[in-house]
Amino acid sequence: NFSTIVGSAGYTFDPSANNNTVTITFNATTARYVRVNITANTGWPAGQLSDFAVFLAAGGTGGGGTGTGGATNLAAGQPTSASGYTQTYVPANAVDGDPSSYWESTDNAFPQWLQVDLGEVKSFSRIVLDLPPSASWSTRTQTLSVQGSADGSSFTTIAGPAGYTFDPSTGNTVTITFPAASARYVRLNFTANTGWPAGQLSEFQVWNS
């Protein structure tokens, strides 16, 4: 006997924009058997997956803490800073585990950045970015890059500038994967947003695997 956790939806796998990765988020649920029902594929007449990862919920809906196989969101609850913010949409909202709260940069002032301090140099290979999972948010593409630093002053590029589409119908989430990098400070540089003239994020997760 199976119950539906997430209804049927189309998910786009794009090698150039998001490393052929899709993340589906939802309120915490409990099950032993987790099934993905695939009904269509525009690229081949079959279902296709190279990885099917199911992560433990920890630290609330936002997904902080430890997950399957020792995966840990290193950014959960850590100190944050930014180039600026609007009203009460402060940087700390992006690491508080609450997907309904969010950071918004100073409007009409690109480029803008958001940064998290991991406390010490740590290794990571995946970043998950969320916007509030609400139908009141329209689909938008934010152009950003990922940088890392050991000292907070000298930064190197981890993932170059690219456009990432946040779609409420698929959870308003984006996953960026890359070869393992090491840094204490992880910074997102925003240069464009098709939905609002500012950088916006409700969750900024840095995963060690």
Side-chain angles (χ1 to χ4, degrees), residues 7-174:
S8 182
Y11 299 94
T12 300
F13 294 80
D14 186 344
S16 63
N18 59 4
N19 294 297
N20 249 359
T21 297
V22 163
T23 299
I24 305 172
T25 57
F26 42 85
N27 291 332
T29 190
T30 301
R32 174 178 176 180
Y33 301 93
V34 184
R35 177 180 290 181
V36 175
N37 287 310
I38 301 174
T39 57
N41 183 344
T42 61
W44 193 255
Q48 297 172 307
L49 282 181
S50 64
D51 275 295
F52 177 15
V54 180
F55 291 92
L56 292 174
T61 308
T66 301
T68 303
T72 301
N73 175 14
L74 304 173
Q78 291 296 114
T80 55
S81 57
S83 51
Y85 64 89
T86 299
Q87 299 175 18
T88 60
Y89 307 118
V90 297
N93 289 349
V95 295
D96 64 1
D98 180 0
S100 64
S101 69
Y102 62 95
W103 163 78
E104 182 174 302
S105 75
T106 305
D107 293 347
N108 298 296
F110 287 122
Q112 293 283 291
W113 55 265
L114 173 66
Q115 177 177 298
V116 62
D117 178 0
L118 304 182
E120 61 185 51
V121 173
K122 295 182 180 180
S123 177
F124 52 94
S125 59
R126 176 166 57 102
I127 288 176
V128 178
L129 308 177
D130 294 327
L131 286 177
S134 168
S136 64
W137 283 68
S138 60
T139 298
R140 66 201 60 208
T141 298
Q142 299 196 72
T143 302
L144 59 93
S145 60
V146 181
Q147 293 184 318
S149 172
D151 57 11
S153 59
S154 178
F155 284 81
T156 58
T157 298
I158 296 171
Y164 298 95
T165 299
F166 295 80
D167 186 343
S169 69
T170 55
N172 243 1
T173 188
V174 161

Side-chain angles (χ1 to χ4, degrees), residues 161-189:
Y164 298 95
T165 299
F166 295 80
D167 186 343
S169 69
T170 55
N172 243 1
T173 188
V174 161
T175 298
I176 306 172
T177 57
F178 39 82
S182 294
R184 172 177 175 174
Y185 302 91
V186 185
R187 176 178 290 186
L188 303 176
N189 286 307

